Every structure is written in C-alpha cells, then in structure tokens.
C-alpha cells in the first residue's frame, strides 16, 4: 500500500494534516480523496492545480486512490506552459478550485464538488502503475513528462525514512511548492506513508517555520538562507530533530550559520525528478558541509569521465554522476528517443551532474555538467567550490559562477555576485588567496539579484553570454 495513512492501517488522528491553517484528519482526507477518486476512476490521467491548499492535496490524493496518473500543475503556469502540460499529458480534466486565468483544452472541475465517497475502498493499483507525471523544465524544448511509478515512490520514501529515522512521532514542516519531488513526494506523500503529522506553512516564511513546532523540517537553500538571516526564527528551531536541505547545494556559510543558531547541522540530500532522492546524509552519520552523503538503500552510483570510463572514488576525480536502482523513472512520456538518450549503454542513468566521491563514499555535487564544470586552460574547475569561496567573503550575499567562452583558455571563470561594499578586483583577489589561482574568476559582475526558479535554483543559463 502506497499511503497507509489513507488505508485505515494507522490509527486516525484529528490533526494529521494542516495546510496553510486548514486542518484535516486522515479519515477526513481519505473520505474527500475517495469522493474525487469516484469521479475520475478510469481516466487516462488527471491534472490538478498543485496549490498549497487542502483541496489541492485532496485532488492529487484522489488521483492516487483511483490509480489514475496525477499531473501536478503549477497554479501560476502561463498559458503556453499550461496548454502544453494538459495536452502532452493526455489529462482528461483539470481539477481546480480556482478557475484558470486562460482557456484550457480540457474540462475544469472544482475539487470541492460535493459527491458521496464510494461505499467501499477502491483496489490498490499495481506497484508498476504510473503514479505521477511530473514535468521537468528541460534545458531545451518544451518540458518533458517524467513517469514515476508507485513502487519507485514507495521504495524511495522507505529508504529516506530509514536514513533520517523518520517515524510517526515526527511532525513534518515545510512550505515548498507541491508540483516538485521535494514538496509533493517527500513533503506530502512521505508523511502519509510514514504516518507522521504534516504542517504545510503555505509560504516558507521563517516565522511560520519557527511557530510550527516541527521535529522534521524541509527546505531549499533559499529558505534556509532566509532563516539563517532571522536569528529569532532560527533559534526557535532548536527543539527540532532534523533540518533537511535539498533541491540545490546549501552554501557552506548558510550551513555554518544554521548550525550556530539552531544547534543542528543540516542533513543534505541529492536527487532529480527522474531518479527521486538517491543520495543523502544519514541522521547518525557525518554531516559535512558541501556534501550530500551516501547512496540510499538499493541505489548504486558511479562517476564516469567524458569517454564513459569509470573514475576512482578518491575525492579528487571529477566526473558525471550516474545512478542505478529501484527509484528511477520509467521514461519520458511519449519521448522514447529522449528516454534512451538518458541512459548509458549499460543501463546507468546519466544525471548530467558532476561530482566527486571520497574513499568513504561521501558524495559532493559540483554542479551541472553543462554549466558547473568549467574547463579552463586544461583544468577542470567546479563552479560550486568557487561560489563557496566567494560566499565566505563578508560582503557577499549571493554568488553564481559560470564558464564563459575564452579564445585562449577555452572557458574562463566568471562570477555574478550580489554584495555590499565590494569590488570586482577585491573578490578576484579573495578567491585567489584561498584557492588555486587558476580557479579565480577572470571577471566578476556585481548585480542586484540572481535569476532563480520557483525552487530557488539559480538559472545559470540566463547568465551565460
């Protein structure tokens, strides 16, 4: 059973789920979701406005109970994106309590439509059935639909529960969007699988995290950075059990500041939409800033060079991270060629991320192969190392490093910095004083802000010339 909390397996609790102030028990959630399931059972797929609201969650759970692939849609999706997702996914309808602002090619129904729940429970779908179709924001072309099975989700959540000692006694708190793996799979389905209480704060404001009385808190680096800048809210997290960061590298200064204010060294983890979470720091393991830990149960990893040769786990060799295991997706919807291209000839998934792995198995993600591995003058430079060095300067608030074309070096290191009272040359010299000189930025651009997506990830392709 994918979600025991909705299957009557676990004792009901009246305050099981609180989303932006609205509360429901598991039984109330199951009854509402069953009402939705009865309306859509047999549909090829159902799209749901993935709002951080109780109706938004009920709509997605209804699809899962019915065994209908669920297509979470960002509530702020523009007309082109919205039409593409609805058309490409084959969704029979869009569940939305707030009508879309733009015309859509499918019927729209509110989640809260009063319908009696089925008198009996629907049969549990096969574990190999598609549970979710999540759309990625690919680097080229329109977003692709990633097919995730019920078994992949169940295995990943069980492996993470083991790694983080996640139990029904926990209170999970986060304020993340519900159309990504982090906010939806971990942040909602995880609670319903483990049986822990869930508090979604609506928005990831530091004061809302501080007042939620959570034991297990999820956030992306942008969230943790804002909490670290709010000492009162950060100190209020001291009674928590675990702070988990993901979706992008957590800057080392933010890690250190959180540890100082909360008394907790954050747990970092790594994953992708196509693979779910494959690598994580353990609750009882070393929490090393800049590292994402070890493969979760059942997952294997390796590093390869540009020729496909496997690299040693020596902590120095930088290569593409490839993964294998039961958490991987079954393919891109309607794109067999893209699915084939995502795998190496021997079946390992190509993440497109570059990393190092130490002799102790600890993984450090350098960044995306396309934007974060800089080949300059014969050297292979990880953008993340330079970014962390820049962030160590007291006048730097944010930093992003890319490789720009250079007629002699091939690529040169270029930094974009949000800071106060600093100059480009000061920062170039600062990096050179702490790292090898070939890693220093050749150019530093001082900017007002860095381009980010909804999950707080810096969009480096917008910085490239």
């Amino acid at each position: 059973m994918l979600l025991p909390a909705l299957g009557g397996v676990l004792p009901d609790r009246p305050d099981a789920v609180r989303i932006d102030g609205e509360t429901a028990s598991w039984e109330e959630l199951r009854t509402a979701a069953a009402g939705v399931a009865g309306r859509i059972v047999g549909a090829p797929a159902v799209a749901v406005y993935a709002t951080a609201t109780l109706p938004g969650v009920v709509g997605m759970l209804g699809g899962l109970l019915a065994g209908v692939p669920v297509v979470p849609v960002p509530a702020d999706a523009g007309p082109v994106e919205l039409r593409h997702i609805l058309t490409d996914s084959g969704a029979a309808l869009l569940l939305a309590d707030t009508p879309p602002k733009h015309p859509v090619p499918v019927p729209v129904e509110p989640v809260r439509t009063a319908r009696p729940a089925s008198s009996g429970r629907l049969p549990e779908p096969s574990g190999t059935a598609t549970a979710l179709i999540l759309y990625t924001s690919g680097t080229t072309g329109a977003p692709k639909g990633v097919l995730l099975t019920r078994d992949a989700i169940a295995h990943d959540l069980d492996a993470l529960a083991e790694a983080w000692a996640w139990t029904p006694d926990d209170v999970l708190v986060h304020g993340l969007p519900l159309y990504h793996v982090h906010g939806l799979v971990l942040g909602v389905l995880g609670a319903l699988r483990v049986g822990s209480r869930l508090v979604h704060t609506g928005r990831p404001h530091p004061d809302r995290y501080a007042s939620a009385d959570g034991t297990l808190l999820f956030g992306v680096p942008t969230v943790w950075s804002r909490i670290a800048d709010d000492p009162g809210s950060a100190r209020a997290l001291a009674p928590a059990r675990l702070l988990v960061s993901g979706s992008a590298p957590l800057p080392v200064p933010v890690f250190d500041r959180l540890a100082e204010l909360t008394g907790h060294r954050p747990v970092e983890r790594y994953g992708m939409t196509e693979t779910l979470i494959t690598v994580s720091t353990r609750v009882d393991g070393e929490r090393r800033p800049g590292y994402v830990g070890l493969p979760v149960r059942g997952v294997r990893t390796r590093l390869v060079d540009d020729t496909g040769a496997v690299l040693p786990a020596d902590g120095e060799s930088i290569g593409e991270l490839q993964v294998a295991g039961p958490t991987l997706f079954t393919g891109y919807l309607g794109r067999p060629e893209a699915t084939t291209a995502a795998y190496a000839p021997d079946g390992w998934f190509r993440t497109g991320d570059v990393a190092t792995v130490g002799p102790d198995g600890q993984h450090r993600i350098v960044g995306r192969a396309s934007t974060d591995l800089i080949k300059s003058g014969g050297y292979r430079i990880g953008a993340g190392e330079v970014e962390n060095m820049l962030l160590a300067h007291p006048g730097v608030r944010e930093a992003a490093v890319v490789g720009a074309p250079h007629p002699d070096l091939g690529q040169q290191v270029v930094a974009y910095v949000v800071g106060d009272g600093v100059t480009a040359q000061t920062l170039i010299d600062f990096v050179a004083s702490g790292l090898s000189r070939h890693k220093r930025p050749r150019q530093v651009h001082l900017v007002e802000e860095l381009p980010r997506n909804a999950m707080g990830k810096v969009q480096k392709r917008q910085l490239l010339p």
Side-chain angles (χ1 to χ4, degrees):
M1 180 176 292
L2 178 60
L3 303 175
L6 298 188
V9 176
L10 302 173
D12 196 22
R13 54 193 340 168
D15 56 350
V17 176
R18 187 167 81 244
I19 302 178
D20 201 18
E22 193 171 2
T23 302
S25 68
W26 283 328
E27 182 57 28
E28 289 170 334
L29 206 59
R30 187 204 69 80
T31 300
V36 172
R39 292 153 52 193
I40 64 174
V41 67
V46 60
V48 184
Y49 260 165
T51 54
T53 62
L54 205 54
V57 169
V58 165
M60 289 186 279
L61 295 180
L64 294 175
L65 287 184
V68 174
V70 175
V71 185
V73 178
D76 61 349
V80 174
E81 178 186 10
L82 180 60
R83 178 171 288 273
H84 168 72
I85 291 175
L86 294 176
T87 303
D88 187 74
S89 67
L93 74 160
L94 171 64
L95 293 174
D97 271 23
T98 301
K101 299 177 181 178
H102 316 285
V104 295
V106 298
V108 180
E109 287 193 24
V111 175
R112 291 187 189 270
T113 299
R115 299 282 180 89
S118 172
S119 57
R121 296 184 188 276
L122 292 167
E124 181 76 7
S126 165
T128 59
T130 298
L132 299 173
I133 305 175
L134 299 181
Y135 276 79
T136 65
S137 57
T139 55
T140 59
K144 299 187 289 290
V146 173
L147 303 174
L148 296 172
T149 67
R150 301 171 76 90
D151 278 349
I153 293 170
H155 183 97
D156 199 53
L157 292 176
D158 289 347
L160 292 175
E162 176 185 281
W164 300 339
W166 187 356
T167 75
D169 293 330
D170 277 309
V171 178
L172 170 61
V173 172
H174 73 93
L176 303 174
L178 300 187
Y179 47 88
H180 290 291
V181 167
H182 198 166
L184 174 57
V185 177
L186 275 62
V188 175
L189 304 188
L192 294 172
R193 183 163 181 83
V194 172
S196 61
R197 286 182 54 212
L198 167 64
V199 177
H200 192 289
T201 60
R203 294 185 178 275
H205 293 164
D207 60 330
R208 296 189 183 188
Y209 272 54
S211 62
D213 295 324
T215 64
L216 179 61
L217 297 100
F218 292 169
V220 297
T222 301
V223 172
W224 293 124
S225 178
R226 291 171 181 172
I227 290 174
D229 287 339
D230 185 340
S233 294
R235 292 190 182 98
L237 303 184
R241 188 178 65 79
L242 206 62
L243 313 183
V244 180
S245 182
S247 297
L250 183 66
V252 173
V254 177
F255 182 107
D256 291 339
R257 183 65 170 156
L258 284 172
E260 174 191 347
L261 291 171
T262 69
H264 296 287
R265 295 172 71 81
V267 160
E268 295 188 65
R269 87 302 180 280
Y270 164 82
M272 299 176 62
T273 304
E274 292 90 338
T275 67
L276 298 177
I277 307 307
T278 50
V279 181
S280 179
T281 304
R282 270 44 172 184
V283 66
D284 57 354
E286 181 183 4
R287 305 181 197 178
R288 191 185 308 172
Y291 289 75
V292 293
L294 309 170
V296 301
R297 175 168 50 84
V299 170
R300 294 173 292 145
T301 65
R302 71 181 185 185
L303 298 179
V304 300
D305 64 15
D306 294 341
T307 69
V310 178
L311 296 170
D314 57 12
E316 297 293 333
S317 300
I318 298 178
E320 183 193 24
L321 180 66
Q322 297 186 349
V323 302
T327 68
L328 269 63
F329 75 138
T330 57
Y332 294 112
L333 179 64
R335 291 169 171 78
E337 293 182 358
T339 301
T340 299
Y343 286 88
D346 57 357
W348 288 70
F349 177 75
R350 311 174 191 265
T351 68
D353 287 320
V354 287
T356 63
V357 180
D360 58 358
Q362 286 283 336
H363 289 55
R364 179 172 66 86
I365 306 300
V366 175
R368 293 297 290 171
S370 57
T371 56
D372 292 301
L373 180 59
I374 302 168
K375 299 176 182 179
S376 181
Y379 294 102
R380 293 162 68 90
I381 303 166
E385 183 180 19
V386 182
E387 289 165 354
N388 279 330
M389 189 66 203
L390 286 165
L391 289 167
H393 191 286
V396 173
R397 288 185 278 124
E398 298 179 61
V401 170
V402 298
H406 189 275
D408 179 44
L409 299 172
Q411 287 182 305
Q412 65 176 345
V413 179
V414 177
Y416 291 80
V417 171
V418 179
D420 302 298
V422 292
T423 66
Q425 191 59 51
T426 297
L427 296 178
I428 292 171
D429 295 341
F430 181 74
V431 173
S433 71
L435 302 178
S436 301
R437 284 191 60 80
H438 67 265
K439 296 180 180 179
R440 74 191 187 281
R442 300 286 177 138
Q443 296 178 7
V444 172
H445 301 284
L446 301 173
V447 296
E448 292 296 321
E449 61 181 9
L450 299 177
R452 296 181 182 274
N453 66 12
M455 292 297 286
K457 291 183 181 180
V458 175
Q459 302 299 282
K460 289 192 175 183
R461 289 188 177 276
Q462 296 184 30
L463 300 174
L464 292 172

